[in-house]
Amino acid sequence: MGEHYRCDMETPSSLPQALWRAEQIRQAEAELASAAGLSLYTLMERAGSALLAVIQRNWPEARRILICCGPGNNGGDGYVLARLLRERGLFVQLVATREPARLKGDAGRAAGAWLAAGGVALESVSGIDTPDLLVDALLGTGLAHQVEGAEAHLIGMINRWRAAGVPVLAVDLPSGLQADTGCVLGCVVQASYTLTFIGLKQGLLTGRAPELVGKLGVARLGIDIEGWGEPSALRIDYPALTPLLRPRRRTAHKGDHGRVLLVGGNSGMAGAILLAGRAALRAGAGLVWVCQHPSLPSPALSQPELMQGALEDGDWDTVRVIGPGLGQDEWARGCFERFLCQGRSLVMDADGLNLLAQSPRHQDNWVLTPHPGEAARLLGSTVAQVEADRFAAVVALQQRYGGVVLLKGAGTLIHDGRQTWLCTEGNPGMAGGGMGDLLSGIIAALLAQGMAPRDAVCLAVALHGEAADRAAAEGERGLLASDLLPWIRRLANPS
């Protein structure tokens, strides 16, 4: 494949940090190719070569390959790949949703080269035997409407073969996936592997995308987009952020590492505040004080390092967490109004966010940590609207409420008013009670130790997800929030 066609492998830590919108990729591709004296058709040929390399590396035994080509440049990449595979003696069948003679531009040129090499473009998959490998080259980044007609029919056939065990390689992105948001436009291909080109599209890592793209690789095609412009977002993970966790001074004392006040733990919800407190301790907070409902037993019975009692000094804490297990009754509302403040860092979670939605205000000293349901209440919208464009939702939340906002979910997003980050750590085992309480405690601990809010939030999200990934080594199903606690301590102390 050569240096021009270098692919970043599918391990998350090897993927680029810069994320881009589809329009940015199109603009950069044209400008940078022109500056390098390359035609866009040359890039199409390179894309085909990169796809060939992925097939040779991942499915070397595949002999019968079916390629489904659409009417645009995504289909053009498929025609190039078909020709290259045929030249290597493989049995290639190609189904086209538009007659090759009707294709224009580079896609038409690629189709013509396939026909000139003896290839045939079939009109349907009728009569085709089960292939060893399917290639989805139907729809690319230009998709802006609900998928229907021939493309929808082919996507259905591809997914039925996929369910029967046939691997699927998606060209640039799975057909039917919106490149900027990760939402599905009607129907979508379930890929085994997605090879995207030039740069990493932001929609491949959040929304529905994580369960659709399979393994993910990037082929740059000799185009260095990293120095071209400002990315739309940045991908973060734990290894990249460990430099923020500097060793402690040998003369440090507990007062140097901050004091966290946790407000929550209503009747029947003692576990939430306890998990947040334990996470804050394991992430390095110097002192942690719990303000919980008086009917509950002391948290010190379960975790002796947690303090509780009447807090007379209103200036005792450096960071406050409002929300884990708080509830929304009269006691909860009283706590919410009493402890909401401007003079120190705040972390708002769970019912703290639900109460904020009922009494909106803008502050720059807090971190908001909503899941999609809480985000919908904060925005006065629906979960479906939030999930349809998570990037727009996290920006809207920050603009309305201020501070730093993180939007939980697969591909957690963080926005501070200037920059958006996306975290690729974590797994489905985290879909259980208490995980968000841990995250709030970690954020508070890092803030208490003096980190800037955006650094604290980015690191906390990555550390939390990495802890979950390591704790899930024995399986994602049945993973408990408390299983992460030993890993939180280990990851807060990188070697």
Side-chain angles (χ1 to χ4, degrees), residues 212-408:
L212 297 171
V213 299
K215 294 180 179 180
L216 182 60
V218 181
R220 300 177 187 270
L221 310 184
I223 299 296
D224 183 16
I225 194 174
E226 304 298 329
W228 172 77
E230 192 71 25
S232 59
L234 295 174
R235 187 188 64 82
I236 57 173
D237 55 28
Y238 172 75
L241 296 175
T242 53
L244 293 171
L245 292 164
R246 291 184 286 273
R248 289 183 166 180
R249 294 182 296 107
R250 295 299 89 192
T251 56
H253 59 82
K254 61 187 177 185
D256 292 333
H257 307 305
R259 298 180 296 276
V260 174
L261 172 63
L262 299 170
V263 181
N266 206 329
S267 179
M269 293 184 281
I273 203 76
L274 183 59
L275 285 168
R278 284 176 165 170
L281 291 168
R282 289 302 186 187
L287 295 166
V288 180
W289 195 289
V290 174
C291 175
Q292 64 179 21
H293 196 277
S295 68
L296 298 180
S298 170
L301 295 174
S302 300
Q303 189 71 50
E305 296 83 359
L306 291 174
M307 298 180 290
Q308 182 203 15
L311 192 62
E312 302 298 337
D313 183 3
D315 294 326
W316 177 86
D317 53 309
T318 49
V319 180
R320 292 181 181 176
V321 179
I322 302 176
L326 180 62
Q328 299 185 52
D329 60 11
E330 185 177 350
W331 176 83
R333 293 175 186 277
C335 289
F336 178 81
E337 293 300 336
R338 175 187 173 191
F339 291 106
L340 206 60
C341 64
Q342 295 275 2
R344 71 208 69 212
S345 295
L346 290 171
V347 180
M348 306 294 291
D349 185 31
D351 279 322
L353 296 168
N354 290 327
L355 291 172
L356 177 61
Q358 297 169 29
S359 180
R361 63 198 78 185
H362 186 287
Q363 294 185 192
D364 290 324
N365 64 318
W366 57 24
V367 175
L368 307 185
T369 65
H371 58 55
E374 292 158 347
R377 288 188 281 277
L378 288 165
L379 291 172
S381 64
T382 65
V383 172
Q385 288 171 320
V386 169
E387 290 292 88
D389 193 340
R390 289 169 53 81
F391 289 94
V394 75
V395 171
L397 285 164
Q398 198 284 329
Q399 290 175 342
R400 181 173 297 189
Y401 292 94
V404 179
V405 178
L406 73 89
L407 178 57
K408 296 171 183 172

Side-chain angles (χ1 to χ4, degrees), residues 121-178:
L122 304 173
E123 295 182 358
S124 77
V125 296
S126 178
I128 294 179
D129 293 332
T130 301
D132 300 325
L133 173 67
L134 271 160
V135 178
D136 163 31
L138 288 170
L139 302 167
T141 60
L143 181 65
H145 56 80
Q146 296 291 301
V147 180
E148 55 189 17
E151 284 90 359
H153 175 72
L154 273 176
I155 287 173
M157 290 298 300
I158 290 170
N159 287 338
R160 283 192 283 277
W161 265 316
R162 175 76 176 85
V166 178
V168 176
L169 170 61
V171 176
D172 207 20
L173 77 168
S175 292
L177 188 71
Q178 214 286 331

Side-chain angles (χ1 to χ4, degrees), residues 41 44 70-77 79-80 100 103-113:
Y41 185 74
M44 186 173 284
N73 286 336
N74 197 261
D77 297 335
Y79 279 105
V80 172
L103 298 180
K104 299 178 180 179
D106 293 330
R109 181 176 175 183

Side-chain angles (χ1 to χ4, degrees), residues 8-22:
D8 294 287
M9 294 301 101
E10 60 272 9
T11 56
S13 61
S14 68
L15 291 171
Q17 285 189 300
L19 305 180
W20 307 89
R21 293 187 300 275

